[in-house]
Amino acid sequence: MTDRRLTVSVLGTGIMGAAMARSLARSGHTVRVWNRTRAKAEPLAADGVHIADGPADAAEGSDAVLTMLHDGPAVLGVMREAAPALRPGTPWVQSTTVGIDAIGELGALARAHELVFFDAPVLGTRQPAEAGRLKVLAAGPTGSRAAVAPVLDAVGALTVWTGEDGSEGSATRLKLVVNSWILTATNAAGEVLALSQALGVDPDTFFDVIAGGHLDLGYLRLKAELVRDGRLSPASFAVATAAKDARLIAEAARRYGVRLDLVDADAARLERAAAQGHGDEDMAAAYYASFDGQGGAAPAARPDPGP
């Protein structure tokens, strides 16, 4: 841990970016943020965060910049505006899940503006992000890691270093592998609930049968509970964002000649759920993709255990 106080610009204040900005402010750093839709960033003012009018305004005078936007093209466009306002040698912590095709372009942009590029996607959803307990998967030069330690320590409980050159995307590659498992497990939870409903099986009987064995999984229960209890908003990780990540994973697999049938199916289910109107809900809402149109009621809620 480090007690150094920095001025940090956070570009992108969606679910994760806003939470990371709050964690940075709570750690004593001066935080300047920008978001394309300013109204989504305004609540951060209550946390002592400065709301900037543009990416360059947010970046000017910063000791580090952190990007947490939707995808690679969004990061590239925003940083083309922000980079000229940053001093040479400024660390750029790139935490958006952008895929392996985009990471090289972002690294090249960093080199062109003499920024120190860190490929640093994170593992975790809204709750650990709000608590500053994310896992950071990071790649970047050893000699500059001390400069970004205050930022990574503020947003994460653990940093896993994967390489020296952020533009090679070793951290992003690991993130895609992890997300391939997360997305498939999420869709499996939705499908088992949908099949239970269709066959007239009480989901609690299913969970009783697998309880305590190798087939049991805390994550399965967590996502199933969100669906059964109707707690899909606010999202921890939205359907639309999960669909984007599934496409990135599928593209990476095809690039290296690997066929991932489950990931292709994950992308299709998530995109179908988004088209049904569930794009801003938690990715557990992919459950609804098992039904035509917007039909398919949520399965019976878990019984109230009582006092």
Side-chain angles (χ1 to χ4, degrees):
M1 295 290 289
T2 176
D3 293 327
R4 289 175 55 218
R5 300 291 181 258
L6 306 177
T7 297
V8 184
S9 60
V10 178
L11 306 180
T13 59
I15 293 171
M16 300 296 286
M20 294 166 84
R22 276 190 285 268
S23 293
L24 286 161
R26 191 169 56 246
S27 296
H29 301 296
T30 299
V31 183
R32 303 169 57 83
V33 305
W34 170 85
N35 194 66
R36 192 173 304 280
T37 304
R38 185 185 174 101
K40 293 184 177 180
E42 291 290 357
L44 291 168
D47 298 286
V49 172
H50 173 75
I51 315 300
D53 292 325
D57 179 37
E60 188 172 6
S62 293
D63 299 306
V65 60
L66 186 152
T67 46
M68 187 52 120
L69 296 145
H70 179 65
D71 57 15
V75 176
L76 189 62
V78 169
M79 281 302 293
R80 280 174 174 160
E81 294 184 52
L86 293 164
R87 297 184 297 268
T90 300
W92 171 11
V93 179
Q94 202 309 100
S95 293
T96 310
T97 303
V98 298
I100 58 175
D101 290 335
I103 201 73
E105 285 186 284
L106 301 179
L109 178 65
R111 287 192 296 274
H113 291 275
E114 299 181 63
L115 306 178
V116 183
F117 185 65
F118 288 86
D119 176 24
V122 297
L123 297 180
T125 54
R126 181 192 296 268
Q127 186 174 0
E130 292 286 0
R133 302 292 295 174
L134 294 166
K135 289 184 179 179
V136 183
L137 312 179
T142 300
S144 298
R145 292 178 186 179
V148 294
V151 176
L152 303 185
D153 289 346
V155 302
L158 174 69
T159 299
V160 178
W161 290 100
T162 63
E164 283 280 327
D165 185 350
S167 64
E168 291 181 352
S170 59
T172 285
R173 293 165 192 263
L174 177 56
K175 174 67 183 292
L176 295 181
V177 171
V178 174
N179 274 15
S180 71
W181 167 244
I182 291 171
L183 298 180
T184 298
T186 299
N187 276 316
E191 288 197 351
V192 78
L193 290 178
L195 183 61
S196 296
Q197 180 180 348
L199 300 184
V201 173
D202 182 350
D204 286 311
T205 304
F206 161 71
F207 286 115
D208 288 344
V209 168
I210 67 170
H214 294 301
L215 296 176
D216 205 350
L217 183 66
Y219 187 80
L220 165 65
R221 292 177 179 270
L222 172 67
K223 289 303 180 183
E225 287 171 6
L226 293 181
V227 176
R228 298 182 72 190
D229 295 346
R231 293 185 289 112
L232 296 171
S233 294
S236 290
F237 187 42
V239 166
T241 304
K244 179 266 296 185
D245 286 3
R247 290 193 298 271
L248 291 176
I249 296 165
E251 289 166 4
R254 285 193 292 270
R255 175 173 173 175
Y256 287 94
V258 176
R259 180 171 178 171
L260 298 182
D261 296 326
L262 293 180
V263 168
D264 287 336
D266 290 336
R269 282 184 62 82
L270 289 159
E271 288 166 358
R272 191 159 65 248
Q276 291 171 342
H278 301 286
D280 292 331
E281 296 176 354
D282 189 89
M283 60 180 173
Y287 157 83
Y288 290 100
S290 289
F291 307 95
D292 292 333
Q294 296 186 31
R302 295 173 297 140
D304 187 341

